[in-house]
Amino acid sequence: MAEKATKGNAIVETIKTIVYALLIAGVFRTLFFQPFWIPSGSMKETLLIGDFLFVNKMAYGYSYASCPSVIMPGIGINIDAEDVCGVFPQNNGRLFGSEPERGDVVVFRHPVSGRDFIKRLVGLPGERIQINGGVLSINDQPVQLQDDGVFIETYEPQGPQGSRPRCSNGPVGPGAACEKQRLIETFPDGNSHDILEIGNQGLDNTGVYLVPEGHYFFMGDNRDNSMDSRVPQSAGGVGFVPFENLIGRADRIMFSSAGRSMLFFWTWRGDRFFKAVQ
């Protein structure tokens, strides 16, 4: 009997340890850092498909979007962040809130679908944003662009989704060099980063977007391959993103895998370990 009691106690202690570990991990993920795996090429070459990073959730304070969503359609699990953190009303209020800065690479909750997106912040509340000939204008002033050569990657399936890149020299065959123009974009405050351009595309010329108060305008660095604030939510884009939907800032890539799974260690990109996000 004593032996059975000992085994029973061991099982109980194991379960308690697992539960405590999950609770600690949940609190850590909710309050401090959220892991994020880059699934698409919309932020190339700043972020590549397969980059793994932690999102700094303390950067902008906390809102309902700070709580994780658990979405597993295959087994019928769909727990929304609002279900967990409904204590935060959706009125753009934040706890310990801090304003983001132009140029930040931000993970945010899509205002309609609730999915997590990652883009670069280019437009602040009250600003006029427009794209003319592929050139971003802020309050009617075009940003500075400087040619920075050619970005080259292999035309092949990338990441778990097996998506193929778009090329300015396309169409090209499997295994061929896929090219895009690389430019250095500099904001009025001097903040610079790389962007990629394929050529004259539909979103290279837009009307004027007036960013509402309490909202932000985001764009992908891979300008011709990004569904971002240039596209309204009704058409599958993200439109204007409210302050409360910001989850955190992407500061550093922990590691990166060029394969179909992060477990394929032989496909890890050795030059991207602990790389700062510019």
Side-chain angles (χ1 to χ4, degrees):
M1 294 293 293
E3 183 178 351
K4 289 183 179 180
T6 301
K7 289 182 179 179
N9 290 336
I11 293 173
V12 170
E13 289 302 317
T14 300
I15 293 174
K16 287 168 62 177
T17 300
I18 293 173
V19 170
Y20 291 153
L22 291 174
L23 288 174
I24 293 171
V27 171
F28 185 85
R29 187 181 188 277
T30 300
L31 296 181
F32 302 110
F33 297 98
Q34 174 177 320
F36 194 87
W37 180 265
I38 303 300
S40 74
S42 69
M43 282 296 293
K44 289 179 182 175
E45 72 183 292
T46 303
L47 298 172
L48 303 179
I49 296 175
D51 282 350
F52 180 83
L53 49 86
F54 282 101
V55 179
N56 181 359
K57 303 182 79 169
M58 298 175 286
Y60 312 129
Y62 305 97
S63 72
Y64 86 98
S66 300
C67 278
S69 297
V70 182
I71 302 174
M72 299 179 180
I75 56 177
I77 296 178
N78 187 0
I79 302 175
D80 190 82
E82 187 179 357
D83 298 330
V84 182
C85 279
V87 64
F88 291 102
Q90 295 187 40
N91 60 357
N92 257 344
R94 299 183 76 93
L95 184 65
F96 309 122
S98 178
E99 296 287 336
E101 297 180 2
R102 192 192 324 276
D104 286 356
V105 177
V106 179
V107 172
F108 57 87
R109 176 183 166 88
H110 190 283
V112 175
S113 71
R115 301 282 183 171
D116 290 350
F117 277 62
I118 185 166
K119 306 289 182 185
R120 189 177 298 276
L121 174 58
V122 303
L124 303 176
E127 292 186 332
R128 293 164 51 87
I129 303 295
Q130 187 174 21
I131 296 87
N132 291 302
V135 180
L136 169 68
S137 290
I138 302 172
N139 293 328
D140 306 317
Q141 295 297 317
V143 299
Q144 297 179 20
L145 289 178
Q146 178 184 344
D147 183 72
D148 195 35
V150 178
F151 172 77
I152 302 175
E153 59 185 334
T154 303
Y155 186 78
E156 61 184 0
Q158 298 179 348
Q161 298 177 357
S163 56
R164 296 178 184 269
R166 298 180 64 193
C167 318
S168 61
N169 61 327
V172 299
C178 175
E179 300 179 357
K180 297 179 184 66
Q181 181 186 14
R182 183 196 290 116
L183 299 164
I184 299 174
E185 181 177 74
T186 302
F187 289 142
D189 62 0
N191 186 312
S192 297
H193 54 273
D194 289 340
I195 64 170
L196 300 180
E197 285 281 357
I198 295 175
N200 187 25
Q201 304 289 311
L203 292 177
D204 284 336
N205 295 279
T206 72
V208 175
Y209 303 91
L210 180 59
V211 185
E213 289 299 323
H215 291 69
Y216 297 89
F217 193 96
F218 290 91
M219 292 177 66
D221 289 349
N222 191 1
R223 291 293 164 81
D224 296 323
N225 191 30
S226 177
M227 293 289 280
D228 45 42
S229 291
R230 292 172 291 178
V231 182
Q233 296 163 9
S234 59
V238 302
F240 302 119
V241 179
F243 185 33
E244 67 182 359
N245 282 46
L246 306 191
I247 295 174
R249 185 181 63 224
D251 290 333
R252 191 170 297 272
I253 300 164
M254 304 308 294
F255 69 90
S256 180
S257 172
R260 301 298 295 271
S261 170
M262 62 183 292
L263 300 178
F264 296 170
F265 62 88
W266 57 90
T267 66
W268 289 4
R269 303 177 178 108
D271 60 338
R272 297 183 73 79
F273 280 83
F274 308 111
K275 182 178 181 180
V277 176
Q278 302 292 333

